[in-house]
Amino acid sequence: MSKSMVRLEPIKYHVPLARPKQGVAGKTGFWRTEKPIVDNEKCIRCYLCEIYCPVNVIRVEPETGVTIDYDYCKGCGVCSDVCPVNAIRMVPEE
Amino acid sequence: MGESKPRPRPPLPYNMRDVVLPGDAACPGCPIPMGWKVLSAVFGEKMILVIPASCSSVVVGAYPGNSLKASVVHVAFASAGAVASGITEALRRRGINDVQVIAWAGDGGTADIGMASLSGAAERNHDFIYIMYDNEAYMNTGIQRSSSTPYGAWTTTTPIIGKTEHKKDVAKIMIAHGVPYVATASVAYPHDFYAKLQRAKRIHGFKFIHLHAPCPVGWRFDPKYTARIARLAVETGLWVLYEYYDGKLRLSGPSRPYLDPSKRKPVEEYLKLQGRFKRLTPEKIEEIKKYVEWNWEWVKRHM
């Protein structure tokens, strides 16, 4: 045997470390069958939808109300279920 | 209208925005990222999650990416407690004090397979937080029965009559270990979970938190009811939120009214929303009610 099977020099450039990345599973918005639609007039800014959102796509600001990033929203509907004033309704995706 | 003073920014939505990144590989309505968001509100990026084989190791995503801005160590199934102990000691030797080590394991990796290393870590009283998110079966491999599955629940390995044994209560086992802090939490009460993590952060030694996490796929319910079902479990008295430290059990706010049995909702309300309890006979529901009473008697004895 001429070549050793054991690699002695340290592996410098190929350390398999995963880095934080948005959308590891791709654009998860494609999974959606129902789309949450927010009525910002009804919204009382209680932040519950943002706290419970499993995908972390909902942002609530006192001035602008609720905004949802539809690129990644999976359409689970947890936000519409926890909303105390029913300001979020789920409409079927066409 | 004059200039109104801006409201103070509440920590819970504002601190949980950055760490959990959108687009993870979780199913719709998954409670795991909900739990992570509360973790990130407390620790930010300064946490090392030790994740044994479980749904969570899938949820963070495949190799080049990672859906969490915190460090994640994927370890073998039985070794979450052991690896977290090792990382804690290594950080302590290197003088790094501001990073929290958290073992984040499912009920299979805690109650069944990881029990030995968990027990060892608790006995050695290593300074880290062990969080067991309890979705009450091996959901990742296809809904097999675990020792944490409740009585009467359907799984693919208990198909016809459901499970015939009661749930293994790991929080009670950890109380028996005499560790400094044991708590139960629920994804439906993120503020309560947040307060418990804040307390656990200040305590030195082994901390154990049992987090109740309804799984839409395995429990056979609509994904939008994740928070509602977790809340119903507390409101019917099936899941009791408490903290145990200084040798005394303290009921948490959301569970306090349900010490009185008349204030609890009927157990059927919790069971009827879930497809896994579809074939329950009335006798089995009576048995579940008896278990609830027995559990609350235990809580009352230790308060």
Side-chain angles (χ1 to χ4, degrees):
Chain A
M1 289 231 343
S2 58
K3 269 192 180 175
S4 166
M5 294 294 281
V6 183
R7 198 168 162 167
L8 290 173
E9 72 270 22
I11 306 166
K12 277 181 191 162
Y13 308 109
H14 302 287
V15 182
L17 275 181
R19 303 279 170 205
K21 182 182 156 218
Q22 213 175 39
V24 215
K27 288 252 192 286
T28 48
F30 288 124
W31 303 4
R32 199 168 54 226
T33 54
E34 280 184 318
K35 188 179 186 178
I37 302 290
V38 189
D39 183 358
N40 273 321
E41 298 290 311
K42 268 193 191 171
C43 174
I44 54 167
R45 320 292 197 251
C46 67
Y47 300 99
L48 280 183
C49 52
E50 182 177 343
I51 291 170
Y52 283 104
C53 176
V55 209
N56 209 359
V57 290
I58 302 182
R59 293 287 177 270
V60 187
E61 291 297 343
E63 298 82 30
T64 52
V66 181
T67 47
I68 299 177
D69 181 358
Y70 289 112
D71 281 354
Y72 294 108
C73 170
K74 292 171 184 166
C76 60
V78 168
C79 48
S80 73
D81 193 57
V82 297
C83 184
V85 292
N86 294 326
I88 306 178
R89 64 198 170 85
M90 305 298 290
V91 294
E93 196 84 38
E94 65 270 359
Chain B
M1 229 173 87
E3 276 293 303
S4 60
K5 225 173 109 188
R7 281 169 69 187
R9 287 155 75 88
L12 216 41
Y14 284 105
N15 294 352
M16 53 166 53
R17 284 188 171 172
D18 303 327
V19 176
V20 181
L21 298 170
D24 53 29
C27 309
C30 181
I32 295 168
M34 287 187 194
W36 283 345
K37 279 169 74 179
V38 182
L39 279 186
S40 70
V42 180
F43 303 108
E45 296 174 17
K46 296 275 186 189
M47 56 180 177
I48 299 174
L49 285 182
V50 179
I51 300 182
S54 63
C55 278
S56 309
S57 44
V58 178
V59 170
V60 290
Y63 158 57
N66 176 8
S67 78
L68 275 175
K69 260 190 199 164
S71 308
V72 177
V73 186
H74 292 285
V75 299
F77 217 148
S79 62
V83 174
S85 316
I87 294 174
T88 313
E89 284 307 299
L91 289 178
R92 193 173 63 84
R93 290 286 168 86
R94 293 177 77 177
I96 301 169
N97 298 316
D98 59 339
V99 179
Q100 181 67 51
V101 181
I102 298 165
W104 176 274
D107 53 300
T110 307
D112 300 344
I113 301 173
M115 198 72 215
S117 67
L118 166 70
S119 180
E123 189 260 327
R124 295 188 300 269
N125 202 16
H126 285 293
D127 182 20
F128 69 93
I129 305 179
Y130 196 107
I131 300 177
M132 164 194 184
Y133 71 93
D134 186 3
N135 46 26
E136 303 191 332
Y138 289 84
M139 296 308 177
N140 189 32
T141 48
I143 325 171
Q144 286 89 4
R145 161 207 192 278
S146 81
S147 62
S148 189
T149 306
Y151 181 80
W154 166 91
T155 60
T156 49
T157 46
T158 53
I160 311 293
I161 49 171
K163 196 185 166 189
T164 50
E165 297 85 21
H166 280 294
K167 184 182 172 78
K168 185 197 270 185
D169 201 330
V170 186
K172 284 179 194 166
I173 300 175
M174 296 324 286
I175 289 173
H177 276 72
V179 294
Y181 184 79
V182 178
T184 57
S186 168
V187 289
Y189 296 94
H191 296 86
D192 175 66
F193 185 32
Y194 178 82
K196 281 168 180 167
L197 284 170
Q198 286 285 14
R199 191 187 301 282
K201 193 183 175 182
R202 290 196 299 270
I203 292 174
H204 186 85
F206 186 86
K207 283 89 62 176
F208 181 82
I209 298 178
H210 192 158
L211 178 71
H212 193 237
C215 169
V217 179
W219 298 16
R220 295 284 187 255
F221 62 85
D222 196 273
K224 72 158 105 164
Y225 294 137
T226 304
R228 176 182 293 200
I229 284 177
R231 197 176 301 125
L232 272 174
V234 174
E235 286 172 352
T236 54
L238 266 166
W239 187 247
V240 190
L241 298 178
Y242 59 80
E243 292 172 287
Y244 189 95
Y245 55 95
D246 299 338
K248 200 163 161 265
L249 190 139
R250 291 158 177 86
L251 266 189
S252 309
S255 259
R256 220 167 278 154
Y258 308 114
L259 194 60
D260 177 10
S262 62
K263 295 230 173 83
R264 287 176 218 152
K265 287 187 178 171
V267 181
E268 287 86 348
E269 271 188 52
Y270 172 73
L271 303 176
K272 78 181 178 199
L273 276 174
Q274 302 169 42
R276 63 172 177 160
F277 289 119
K278 208 164 54 186
R279 289 190 190 159
L280 274 188
T281 54
E283 300 90 67
K284 293 208 164 180
I285 294 179
E286 281 307 311
E287 176 64 33
I288 291 174
K289 282 179 182 165
K290 248 187 255 166
Y291 175 76
V292 173
E293 282 307 316
W294 177 81
N295 203 15
W296 276 98
E297 282 304 317
W298 181 87
V299 168
K300 278 179 199 161
R301 272 208 308 280
H302 289 81
M303 262 167 68

